[in-house]
Amino acid sequence: MSEGGTTGPKSRELRPESNAELRTIGFRLREIQRLLSMRVKQENVRLEAEGLAPVTDAAFFKEGTAEHAVSRHRVKSLAAQLGGLELGADVRVALLGGTVISGTTGPIDYVPTERLRLEVRPRDDSSVRYEIRAVVEEAGWSPVTVRRYELGDDDWEVLGVVRSVETE
């Protein structure tokens, strides 16, 4: 034990709770972003009715934010790496927020000039599916994002942006 704090097992015991809190905060922030985007769309209807120019960008992620923290070159490289995987490959995907998913690759749809979509299924839970996807836009590849679906859910849950990929 050091003078000013704790070390060892006690600090490790707090980590799962902190991770759960961070996931909750992340979920709430994404929900706020979704609600703000919907509000911008509503406000645009009002502005157009009054003959005013609508807001052209309803997205709240801008260059330099966590959503774009992976460089365009790195995104293209990640898309190629993921698109080049074999069906049934064991993969470990790390997201910007620290979340890590791992499992076996399912169907892979990769067209280098258009899109990437692949599924990852955890080895230990057949009720969960992850979808990794990105598309080519005017400015290059969109961030490679991961969504999660569990049997019984109403919709996919966006988990975040891919930071790195390792084959196991």
Side-chain angles (χ1 to χ4, degrees), residues 4-163:
T6 61
T7 60
K10 189 169 188 171
S11 63
R12 279 189 227 116
E13 290 173 10
L14 299 176
R15 180 167 239 132
E17 292 174 7
S18 297
N19 287 340
E21 289 174 3
L22 289 173
R23 279 192 300 275
T24 300
I25 290 168
F27 173 79
R28 289 179 179 161
L29 288 172
R30 285 189 301 274
E31 184 64 12
I32 290 169
Q33 178 193 4
R34 186 184 68 78
L35 292 170
L36 287 171
S37 292
M38 287 174 35
R39 181 66 181 114
V40 167
K41 290 175 187 173
Q42 292 171 346
E43 189 65 16
N44 279 343
V45 170
R46 186 190 66 78
L47 289 171
E48 287 178 343
E50 293 181 17
L52 300 171
V55 175
T56 58
D57 187 9
F60 290 92
F61 284 118
K62 306 291 183 207
E63 288 294 332
T65 64
E67 188 75 13
H68 289 88
V70 179
S71 73
R72 295 259 183 226
H73 174 71
R74 180 72 179 133
V75 169
K76 183 177 179 180
S77 173
L78 285 169
Q81 182 181 5
L82 288 162
L85 293 172
E86 298 285 327
L87 185 64
D90 289 328
V91 66
R92 180 179 160 93
V93 179
L95 307 182
L96 287 178
T99 302
V100 176
I101 64 165
S102 61
T104 305
T105 58
I108 301 170
D109 178 17
Y110 176 59
V111 179
T113 57
E114 294 178 23
R115 68 185 171 278
L116 163 73
R117 185 194 171 282
L118 72 110
E119 277 192 21
V120 174
R121 294 201 179 234
R123 287 176 223 80
D124 59 346
D125 189 353
S126 62
S127 67
V128 175
R129 294 181 358 207
Y130 296 101
E131 179 188 63
I132 302 173
R133 62 187 182 157
V135 295
V136 175
E137 300 169 336
E138 288 181 20
W141 280 91
S142 67
V144 180
T145 59
V146 177
R147 301 188 315 164
R148 180 182 189 275
Y149 182 83
E150 186 167 2
L151 199 60
D153 286 351
D154 291 334
D155 202 0
W156 290 86
E157 172 192 3
V158 177
L159 295 181
V161 175
V162 174
R163 180 184 44 147

